[in-house]
Amino acid sequence: MKFQLSSLEEYQTAYAESVSHPENFWNAIAEHFQWRTKWNRTLEWNFNAPDVQWFIGGKLNITENCLDRHLAAKGDQTALIWEANDPNEISKTYTYSQLLREVSRMANVLKKMGVQKGDRVCIYMPMIPELSFAVLACARIGAIHSVVFAGFSAASVADRINDSQCAFVLTSDGMYRGAKQIPVKAVVDEALATCPSVQKALVVNRLNWPVVMATPRDVWYHEALDGVDDFCEAEVMDSEDPLFILYTSGSTGKPKGVVHTCGGYMVYAGYSFANVFQYRANEIFWCTADIGWVTGHSYILYGPLLNGATTMMFEGVPTWPDPGRFWQVIDKHHVNLFYTAPTAIRSLMAAGIDHVLPYNLHSLRVLGSVGEPINEEAWHWYHTHIGKGRCEVVDTWWQTETGGIMISALAGITPSKPAHAGLPLPGIQPILVDAEGHEILGNEVEGYLCMRFPWPSILRTTYGDHERCRINYFSTYANLYFTGDGARRDSDGLYRIIGRVDDVINVSGHRFGTAEIENAINQNKKVIESAVVGYPHDIKGQGIYAYIILADATQGSDETRDEIIETVCEQIGRIAKPDKIQFVSGLPKTRSGKIMRRILRKVAEGELHALGDTTTLLDPLVVEEIKAGAL
Ligand code: WT7
């Protein structure tokens, strides 16, 4: 079985084989990786438990596949390019042998700190090279990394550390973000006040920010490096040993720790990268995501490195020093494959073509989109003004839980259609079902998007709470993995993702549960109750609209709004700030006390005359008040 498909016929053959003989198919794909011991059974699965295992009995280390394996042929080829926040700061590059050395040194520092196989390590760092070293160093020694995006608040960091009982935290003094300098270590300090499991913190010096080092807990990375060896032997891992935990929001409760395992994740991250982007030797791949999200895990680090590619990480933001920064970086580094989010495309589109025109973008060959549905206008702008009409565009649908891209065009091979993710990758078996879970057959249909068969990088559990994993993904429809998305299948069988059908909202490609934001808002002492819904937002995809009941209705001022926003920043982080806050005296509830979100969503969308049946409400007058005060 060819690892990288190169024609539509090859795709069709591979897809057919992957459905008729999935074990044979994945055996052949997995053979392309380096295993210390080969697996003896390919797959055991049961979606009801759920219990999924791939490449059972196989032994490997993913970093040997990302690094050591390439040394003979590509030791001197660039593995990682790092572009700083400030365009005037010199960029850094690491060859495959240099990257292995850096990862080994970090791994040896971790060992010296006492990190052992199976320990959970929280990584809360900006996009600096040491973040990549840290992730891979954990994998090298069999520690389970839990990367937390550096925009989350101290309270969020603490929740995540406590949930998975991390004994170690890796961080930095501070970070650059556009023109700003932001404390990072201080956030960790605040978090650690409520994290008794943490024994040691390792601190990278990025900007000479004055920080308080607690001894003996806190250690400077540059000091810890003193005398460590340049090579670290890789720990031999079982296919099903956890590789990482990554927290993501669901429709209820606190964010949950999605668990991915070594063997299956490796196979799928490597396979999906090679095929979706059609990576060719010596090309430069740039994914603009933060490593704090799954996109960064799979397509800045693991996917590209597994393929011996050159991957770039960028510390900065798309709009600083000006909205031409992405295009300038593509020009500077001759980027061939570029992967970003619709929200970034829309905001740069709004900034105007004058920020694009000064740059030479002829190196580009493939453009990718991820994180939320891309509207046709943004798709066409991307294709025309960035791709100059000659680049392939891939709209890649997947989730933290899927570990890798599930539905997408394979660049230049399978059809790409504006606003459509397209066909499933080989090994992926999507199905649309109705509310009762009955399969919706045929084309030009719409339904709930599920998967009927496991793929190697399906989540194995949610950390410490397997029942929650079962309820969230495997209990809605028997024997199916439920994605939480609605989708259409067009006349050619291409999938178009409509969006979430649960109480999850997608703001600039970031996922939040409405309940999670409500809980944060309710921490403000002035608030009695709140209800949050998403509404269409030109740049962010969805904006956050909060309806809030105050204890004292006379306090509904801008000042109170600011205080509530501040509370959300403290509880979750700046990325979860409500865009609109409407103070109300009551919420539309049914007689059984359930909030009718449908009505709140309609009002937030500005559809004041299409509210549907409101006769079952406890107090229909509330709706009139809400309509009158709509923002
Ligand atoms: C949700 C997953 C793993 C990608 C980064 C976000 C939405 C993701 C697309 C796309 C339409 C998309 C879905 C999905 N989504 N990609 N190409 N088209 N919607 O990962 O935070 O786990 O969110 O993002 O709603 O369920 P995530």
Side-chain angles (χ1 to χ4, degrees):
M1 185 55 63
K2 257 179 93 180
F3 190 73
Q4 191 177 50
L5 303 166
S6 54
S7 68
L8 186 58
E9 296 67 44
E10 282 181 10
Y11 163 79
Q12 284 160 343
T13 311
Y15 191 81
E17 168 75 4
S18 78
V19 173
S20 59
H21 302 97
E23 300 197 14
N24 291 351
F25 174 81
W26 286 114
N27 279 342
I29 297 303
E31 290 282 2
H32 292 267
F33 295 84
Q34 183 182 303
W35 299 78
R36 290 282 191 110
T37 307
K38 218 187 133 170
W39 59 100
N40 41 51
R41 271 174 304 149
T42 307
L43 170 66
E44 291 286 333
W45 71 289
N46 163 4
F47 272 177
N48 292 320
D51 178 17
V52 181
Q53 298 176 56
W54 281 94
F55 311 113
I56 299 162
K59 304 281 180 198
L60 73 147
N61 185 291
I62 193 169
T63 69
E64 285 189 334
N65 282 272
C66 286
L67 302 170
D68 312 58
R69 185 165 59 119
H70 305 309
L71 288 194
K74 297 180 174 170
D76 295 330
Q77 182 204 293
T78 303
L80 181 69
I81 303 173
W82 175 76
E83 173 69 23
N85 175 63
D86 185 338
N88 296 315
E89 184 172 345
I90 202 147
S91 43
K92 295 183 181 172
T93 60
Y94 301 86
T95 64
Y96 269 94
S97 42
Q98 288 167 337
L99 184 57
L100 174 58
R101 177 173 174 274
E102 296 294 347
V103 170
S104 286
R105 282 157 61 81
M106 174 80 81
N108 285 329
V109 165
L110 297 183
K111 279 184 166 174
K112 204 162 80 174
M113 283 166 66
V115 183
Q116 292 180 359
K117 179 175 181 172
D119 284 346
R120 276 80 58 215
V121 177
C122 172
I123 306 179
Y124 184 74
M125 260 194 224
M127 286 284 284
I128 53 178
E130 289 80 1
L131 167 57
S132 297
F133 308 158
V135 168
L136 297 169
C138 286
R140 187 82 178 169
I141 64 173
I144 304 169
H145 56 76
S146 169
V147 185
V148 176
F149 172 62
F152 279 116
S153 68
S156 294
V157 179
D159 280 347
R160 287 159 173 76
I161 288 175
N162 288 328
D163 185 75
S164 50
Q165 291 289 293
C166 295
F168 303 91
V169 181
L170 315 181
T171 188
S172 69
D173 54 345
M175 66 191 268
Y176 294 110
R177 192 178 157 75
K180 284 186 257 167
Q181 298 186 11
I182 300 173
V184 176
K185 172 67 161 61
V187 177
V188 170
D189 289 341
E190 194 187 331
L192 294 194
T194 57
C195 297
S197 62
V198 173
Q199 299 159 16
K200 287 233 168 287
L202 185 70
V203 188
V204 175
N205 181 9
R206 170 66 182 119
L207 36 74
N208 290 313
W209 190 291
V211 299
V212 183
M213 297 292 277
T215 39
R217 189 194 69 194
D218 301 345
V219 186
W220 283 109
Y221 181 54
H222 57 271
E223 290 175 7
L225 274 175
D226 205 37
V228 304
D229 230 61
D230 282 352
F231 183 75
C232 173
E233 194 64 54
E235 188 74 33
V236 179
M237 306 298 288
D238 192 271
S239 290
E240 284 297 324
D241 280 338
L243 172 65
F244 67 84
I245 303 170
L246 190 55
Y247 285 84
T248 190
S249 300
S251 48
T252 55
K254 291 197 168 175
K256 47 194 182 287
V258 168
V259 175
H260 284 289
T261 57
C262 296
Y265 176 82
M266 170 178 78
V267 169
Y268 200 75
Y271 183 70
S272 56
F273 175 80
N275 283 288
V276 170
F277 299 102
Q278 290 291 305
Y279 183 80
R280 297 175 190 163
N282 301 314
E283 285 188 326
I284 296 179
F285 180 80
W286 180 20
C287 164
T288 68
D290 193 287
I291 291 175
W293 311 113
V294 74
T295 308
H297 282 56
S298 300
Y299 301 109
I300 295 178
L301 294 178
Y302 290 116
L305 296 176
L306 285 165
N307 282 279
T310 300
T311 184
M312 183 157 77
M313 67 186 290
F314 173 48
E315 184 186 29
V317 296
T319 48
W320 187 82
D322 62 58
R325 183 68 167 129
F326 274 2
W327 323 128
Q328 181 252 328
V329 172
I330 291 172
D331 186 347
K332 175 177 175 188
H333 293 284
H334 310 294
V335 171
N336 306 106
L337 311 132
F338 178 67
Y339 191 29
T340 196
T343 187
I345 298 168
R346 287 189 298 260
S347 78
L348 299 177
M349 178 169 89
I353 194 70
D354 289 349
H355 291 287
V356 182
L357 294 176
Y359 302 106
N360 183 343
L361 303 181
H362 79 272
S363 58
L364 289 173
R365 189 171 68 78
V366 178
L367 301 175
S369 172
V370 61
E372 43 169 327
I374 179 166
N375 48 309
E376 294 201 24
E377 194 193 354
W379 194 102
H380 285 294
W381 186 85
Y382 198 28
H383 182 250
T384 307
H385 295 289
I386 305 306
K388 314 294 180 193
R390 46 164 197 82
C391 293
E392 301 297 338
V393 175
V394 294
D395 176 3
T396 66
W397 175 86
W398 57 298
Q399 309 179 291
T400 304
E401 295 85 344
T402 70
I405 297 166
M406 302 283 281
I407 303 180
S408 168
L410 310 184
I413 290 180
T414 57
S416 169
K417 178 174 166 184
H420 288 66
L423 296 174
L425 266 69
I428 306 306
Q429 300 190 35
I431 129 168
L432 297 179
V433 300
D434 64 19
E436 280 74 51
H438 300 305
E439 178 169 9
I440 301 171
L441 293 164
N443 287 340
E444 301 201 62
V445 292
E446 186 173 318
Y448 299 110
L449 179 64
C450 296
M451 299 293 152
R452 68 163 111 227
F453 198 86
W455 59 100
S457 60
I458 186 174
L459 86 161
R460 300 301 195 266
T461 189
T462 46
Y463 193 89
D465 194 350
H466 195 61
E467 177 62 4
R468 193 163 170 207
C469 173
R470 187 185 71 79
I471 290 176
N472 259 292
Y473 308 104
F474 299 94
S475 72
T476 316
Y477 307 111
N479 292 311
L480 297 175
Y481 165 84
F482 176 43
T483 64
D485 282 319
R488 280 187 63 75
R489 195 164 46 224
D490 79 359
S491 52
D492 298 317
L494 307 186
Y495 286 87
R496 175 181 194 144
I497 308 301
I498 298 164
R500 302 291 305 198
V501 294
D502 51 8
D503 287 322
V504 167
I505 52 184
N506 189 326
V507 185
S508 301
H510 303 149
R511 223 166 117 172
F512 298 102
T514 51
E516 182 188 2
I517 302 174
E518 289 160 9
N519 289 338
I521 291 172
N522 298 349
Q523 297 298 310
N524 187 295
K525 288 194 183 65
K526 292 184 176 170
V527 174
I528 298 227
E529 195 182 0
S530 60
V532 164
V533 296
Y535 70 96
H537 187 289
D538 285 348
I539 304 288
K540 300 179 177 186
Q542 279 189 297
I544 301 173
Y545 195 122
Y547 298 89
I548 296 179
I549 306 175
L550 294 174
D552 176 355
T554 64
Q555 293 194 319
S557 60
D558 282 348
E559 196 191 324
T560 303
R561 269 197 191 88
D562 291 345
E563 284 173 29
I564 292 171
I565 288 173
E566 192 45 40
T567 307
V568 174
C569 292
E570 279 164 19
Q571 295 294 320
I572 306 177
R574 294 181 50 77
I575 49 178
K577 274 188 347 193
D579 298 277
K580 295 183 179 179
I581 292 178
Q582 182 181 351
F583 296 116
V584 295
S585 67
L587 292 166
K589 289 188 180 169
T590 61
R591 290 193 183 88
S592 57
K594 202 171 167 303
I595 297 174
M596 285 185 80
R597 288 175 186 278
R598 174 177 59 79
I599 292 175
L600 297 177
R601 261 184 238 120
K602 286 282 177 207
V603 173
E605 286 164 11
E607 294 188 26
L608 303 184
H609 302 291
L611 299 185
D613 183 13
T614 55
T615 53
T616 57
L617 287 175
L618 193 60
D619 177 9
L621 281 181
V622 150
V623 177
E624 295 311 314
E625 180 207 315
I626 288 176
K627 275 163 68 174
L631 300 170

